[in-house]
Amino acid sequence: MEHPPSPSQSAERPRTPDARLGSEPLDERLQEWAFTQHPCALAVFDADLRLVRANPGMTEGLGLADTPARGLRLPDIVPGPTGDAVEAALRLALGTGERQDTQLPVPPSAGTRRPAGRPATATPLRDPDGQVRGVCLVAHHTAEQAPATQRKLLLDDATRIGTTLNISHTAQELAEVAVPRLADYAAVDLLDLSRHSDTQPGIQPGSPLTLSRAAARSTGDNAPYPAPSPGESLTCPPHSPVAEALAQRRPALYDTSDDAITRWIARDPQAAWIHAAQAHSLMIVPLHARGTTLGVVLFARGTHPGPFTPDDLKLAEQLTTHTAISIANARRYTRERTTTMTLQRSLLPHTLPHQAALDIATRYLPAGGDTGVGGDWFDVIPLSGARVALVVGDVAGHGIRASATMGRLRTAVRTLADVDLPPDELLTHLDDLVIHLSTDTTPSDDTPETESGVGTTCLYAIYDPTSRHCTFARAGHPPPAIVNPDSTVYFLDVPAGPPLGLGGLPFETTDIELPEGTLLTLYTNGLLQPQHQDIDDTLDKMFTTLARPTAALDTLADRLLTTLLTRPPSDDIALLLARTRVLGTEQIATWTLPDDPAIVAEARHHATDQLSAWQLPDATYITELIVSELVTNAIRYGAPPIQLRLIHHDNTLTTEVSDTSSTTPHLRRARTYDEGGRGLLLIAQLAHRWGTRHAPAGKTIWTEQTLSTSPGSQGP
């Protein structure tokens, strides 16, 4: 009797090749078959993370069956963030020598719009000495995933819900995550904000509800059901499953054969989609966050064979909770942005003041995206002597505090401009104000210190149409662009100065004489910071646009914004265009007067003769009184030389008396037996406006009269 060989004998027997298998030993062929026929997708990467080998499951799963991929890195095989993420797991396994879990993308299956994902493991491969020489990537067979693993992957994928502050987009992200892995159909319906606010006391049972469909998704390429489309309003009947879920703020799980669902379908035509979709299982989950009910999410299964389970309901609650918080944040952001925009626009000039020195065009564009409204502003301020001040500023930070700070600074600029401060002195006072604002503000996590005004930039300019001189000063602000009448464009070299709120550093001025028709371009830095553009290209486009002759400044402003902005700006933009005018010599009359009380009568005659030449006889009486008082005060309290100047433009008559004394007159109410003190009070009653303007040597007292077209209206 012949006995079978022992294991040791079998091991020593020489291998005889099988003719059907070729020359390779059987165990090596078995290893080959195991690699190529394994149900999991397998790939081996070397120490440089380049592909050494992949089985058919991996090449087909990555769509590389006909593409040579050996020697490539995974980001070259699967471009995009997913490929980078998987390679990061491979690199971590290579460096730490420990297994790493990841998720491998596969091409989308039929009827889906987005690639699915498969759980994968990166395992380090060691040599006999224990050195890691490569990594094996295994993508597991998804049909055999445990339900707990599937739920975990779905929740991991839910992190992409709420990537923006757009409510509709957030709702659509929830629907895309849920379909097809959790449900065959999902719809997100939000309560109508016109009927339900964030302070709602609660939804009462038995009352109809108005909702708006925010998003919907089905397993088909197009929703085949007669369901409301996104954007449509729908009314939910009383005591329907949706109304009950919202009133009780509890999710519900239904079989579509339940009496509650049957009655709902019979009473509500908008629920007919349940039968049309052949849905057999339904989940209704309210959306609520921070004590506020926002809406409801409907999940349905039709082609999916299994009904929803209590675990599925818990999973749906987790998804909707995450979505509700994102929607609540988006609504709060929208509300705050609306409030900030309202405040910002209320603080900006609604109409430009009437003045004869400049043609003006202005634009304001709030920041797009999630940045929030900032504190950019502009202003046009008429000054004495037909002069005009131009202001453009940019408050650091965004939100309501930045807009409120902008309003305070704009008011301060107008107040300081009203006392005719030179540009450098005005910025010095504004700098002190910002420092005081910063000490009054306590920084917090949601109130950055910059929103107190520190870091604010400002450009202030004064243009005089009688001399064609313009004086500029800036505090950390971009320089103005000047366009000469011959279309030459350049940046004016104005000393930058520090931003407001730093203190301790002086501001300097630049004075320039401008030809008539010169264009001044003042702006905030948002105009020169468009996304994904080189600054040199932006400046070239700006200069080219400004150099093109344009009669209407509004057209030029729109053309400039259209050229420079290819998408919503990432920062606020304030733009101010001003084209200079010049008052002719026939509109100005000037006399130098001796320091003699007898000259007062002669000054009145000069004024009367000039008004006759301007054909303004109705203004003679008041002007004589004003000239008498101002010249008398200059002779009595001032210092020679004394100068009288009349300026007539449009319907305004300006009277100015200058002397070299720095003493400032003050308006006071004279007592009964006082012999003086009534002159300025009389002037204040006769003139529309009056004030004092200081110069490096002396002062000017000025008055403005608004001339009426009615005959005799300027008489006594």
Side-chain angles (χ1 to χ4, degrees), residues 178-203:
V179 177
R181 287 186 288 172
L182 177 62
D184 298 322
Y185 178 78
V188 182
D189 298 333
L190 300 179
L191 287 168
D192 190 344
L193 290 180
S194 63
R195 303 191 181 193
H196 302 277
S197 68
D198 287 348
T199 57
Q200 58 189 356
I203 300 171

Side-chain angles (χ1 to χ4, degrees), residues 138-385:
V138 181
H140 305 294
H141 191 46
T142 56
E144 298 176 359
Q145 291 180 57
T149 303
Q150 296 185 38
R151 286 194 293 271
K152 180 181 182 301
L153 292 174
L154 188 60
L155 288 175
D156 290 342
D157 202 23
T159 56
R160 68 187 185 90
I161 298 175
T163 56
T164 69
L165 290 172
N166 183 288
I167 295 175
S168 299
H169 191 268
T170 299
Q172 189 63 36
E173 288 173 335
L174 168 61
E176 291 182 357
V177 167
V179 177
R181 287 186 288 172
L182 177 62
D184 298 322
Y185 178 78
V188 182
D189 298 333
L190 300 179
L191 287 168
D192 190 344
L193 290 180
S194 63
R195 303 191 181 193
H196 302 277
S197 68
D198 287 348
T199 57
Q200 58 189 356
I203 300 171
Q204 302 300 323
S207 60
L209 296 174
T210 300
L211 300 104
S212 176
R213 178 135 299 174
R217 181 175 171 85
S218 71
T219 53
D221 292 334
N222 299 300
Y225 322 128
S229 302
E232 289 187 37
S233 294
L234 56 153
T235 302
C236 186
H239 302 295
S240 65
V242 172
E244 293 295 327
L246 285 172
Q248 299 174 10
R249 300 180 66 179
R250 288 203 303 266
L253 177 61
Y254 293 95
D255 188 289
T256 54
S257 61
D258 292 349
D259 291 341
I261 302 298
T262 304
R263 289 194 300 269
W264 177 29
I265 296 174
R267 294 163 50 197
D268 185 4
Q270 292 180 319
W273 64 269
I274 298 176
H275 279 172
Q278 299 181 350
H280 59 78
S281 188
L282 186 67
M283 290 190 299
I284 302 175
V285 185
L287 280 166
H288 51 83
R290 302 187 181 100
T292 301
T293 301
L294 305 174
V296 66
V297 185
L298 307 177
F299 301 94
R301 280 183 179 175
T303 58
H304 193 290
F308 288 119
T309 65
D311 287 338
D312 292 328
L313 188 62
K314 292 180 181 178
L315 178 60
E317 282 189 272
Q318 291 176 287
L319 293 177
T320 54
T321 298
H322 180 83
T323 305
I325 294 174
S326 298
I327 291 177
N329 290 338
R331 282 188 171 173
R332 183 174 65 178
Y333 167 79
T334 302
R335 183 172 60 251
E336 291 180 354
R337 180 178 174 85
T338 301
T339 302
T340 305
M341 280 291 301
T342 302
L343 175 63
Q344 175 84 338
R345 295 195 180 278
S346 68
L347 295 174
L348 290 173
H350 292 177
T351 58
L352 297 177
H354 176 76
Q355 45 80 34
L358 298 162
D359 290 325
I360 299 288
T362 60
R363 293 293 184 271
Y364 170 76
L365 270 69
D370 302 338
T371 307
V373 180
D376 293 20
W377 91 93
F378 60 85
D379 212 345
V380 179
I381 308 172
L383 303 176
S384 63

Side-chain angles (χ1 to χ4, degrees), residues 422-438:
D424 53 340
E425 292 186 26
L426 183 142
L427 291 181
T428 300
H429 285 284
L430 201 62
D431 185 48
D432 292 338
L433 173 62
V434 172
I435 293 174
H436 289 309
L437 290 178
S438 65

Side-chain angles (χ1 to χ4, degrees), residues 561-640:
L561 294 176
T562 303
T563 302
L564 296 183
L565 303 178
T566 58
R567 63 188 66 195
S570 58
D571 193 8
D572 289 27
I573 295 175
L575 174 65
L576 191 156
L577 301 178
R579 181 175 286 140
T580 62
R581 299 174 182 168
V582 175
L583 294 183
T585 55
E586 70 280 0
Q587 296 175 275
I588 306 169
T590 306
W591 301 272
T592 299
L593 306 176
D595 185 16
D596 183 357
I599 202 63
V600 175
E602 184 178 343
R604 288 198 301 267
H605 289 308
H606 288 320
T608 301
D609 293 342
Q610 187 60 54
L611 293 180
S612 297
W614 284 337
Q615 298 181 0
L616 299 174
D618 294 337
T620 301
Y621 179 77
I622 292 179
T623 305
E624 285 184 336
L625 292 176
I626 291 175
V627 168
S628 295
E629 291 296 334
L630 294 183
V631 173
T632 300
N633 283 345
I635 293 173
R636 181 176 299 178
Y637 304 110

Side-chain angles (χ1 to χ4, degrees), residues 431-710:
D431 185 48
D432 292 338
L433 173 62
V434 172
I435 293 174
H436 289 309
L437 290 178
S438 65
T439 58
D440 291 341
T441 303
T442 302
S444 62
D445 292 339
D446 56 352
T447 307
E449 183 179 357
T450 55
E451 292 188 357
S452 65
V454 176
T456 296
T457 66
C458 184
L459 173 64
Y460 186 80
I462 297 177
Y463 174 67
D464 188 346
T466 64
S467 64
R468 296 188 290 111
H469 277 260
C470 192
T471 306
F472 296 86
R474 62 185 178 120
H477 201 81
I482 308 295
V483 185
N484 287 330
D486 62 358
S487 297
T488 304
V489 186
Y490 63 95
F491 282 126
L492 184 64
D493 185 15
V494 182
L500 299 176
L502 300 183
L505 296 175
F507 299 97
E508 301 179 46
T509 61
T510 296
D511 187 85
I512 182 174
E513 184 175 333
L514 302 173
E516 184 175 7
T518 300
L519 178 66
L520 310 178
T521 305
L522 283 63
Y523 53 91
T524 54
N525 58 7
L527 183 68
L528 299 183
Q529 294 180 350
Q531 295 179 348
H532 310 299
Q533 288 194 26
D534 183 76
I535 184 62
D536 292 332
D537 293 339
T538 302
L539 294 178
D540 288 342
K541 292 179 180 179
M542 177 183 180
F543 277 34
T544 302
T545 303
L546 291 175
R548 292 174 57 186
T550 307
L553 289 186
D554 285 317
T555 302
L556 178 58
D558 293 335
R559 182 187 300 167
L560 189 61
L561 294 176
T562 303
T563 302
L564 296 183
L565 303 178
T566 58
R567 63 188 66 195
S570 58
D571 193 8
D572 289 27
I573 295 175
L575 174 65
L576 191 156
L577 301 178
R579 181 175 286 140
T580 62
R581 299 174 182 168
V582 175
L583 294 183
T585 55
E586 70 280 0
Q587 296 175 275
I588 306 169
T590 306
W591 301 272
T592 299
L593 306 176
D595 185 16
D596 183 357
I599 202 63
V600 175
E602 184 178 343
R604 288 198 301 267
H605 289 308
H606 288 320
T608 301
D609 293 342
Q610 187 60 54
L611 293 180
S612 297
W614 284 337
Q615 298 181 0
L616 299 174
D618 294 337
T620 301
Y621 179 77
I622 292 179
T623 305
E624 285 184 336
L625 292 176
I626 291 175
V627 168
S628 295
E629 291 296 334
L630 294 183
V631 173
T632 300
N633 283 345
I635 293 173
R636 181 176 299 178
Y637 304 110
I642 299 171
Q643 187 181 79
L644 169 64
R645 186 168 75 158
L646 299 181
I647 303 173
H648 175 225
H649 59 92
D650 295 337
N651 64 335
T652 301
L653 177 64
T654 303
T655 303
E656 297 181 345
V657 174
S658 305
D659 66 80
T660 56
S661 170
S662 59
T663 304
T664 302
H666 295 283
L667 179 67
R668 65 183 179 89
R669 189 171 298 278
R671 292 171 295 186
T672 304
Y673 298 105
D674 284 352
E675 295 183 0
R678 296 178 176 83
L680 289 181
L681 181 61
L682 176 64
I683 288 175
Q685 298 299 317
L686 295 176
H688 178 65
R689 292 199 310 156
W690 78 278
T692 303
R693 181 173 72 247
H694 287 273
K699 67 179 182 300
T700 298
I701 303 176
W702 57 269
T703 68
E704 283 185 4
Q705 302 174 60
T706 301
L707 306 177
S708 175
T709 56
S710 303

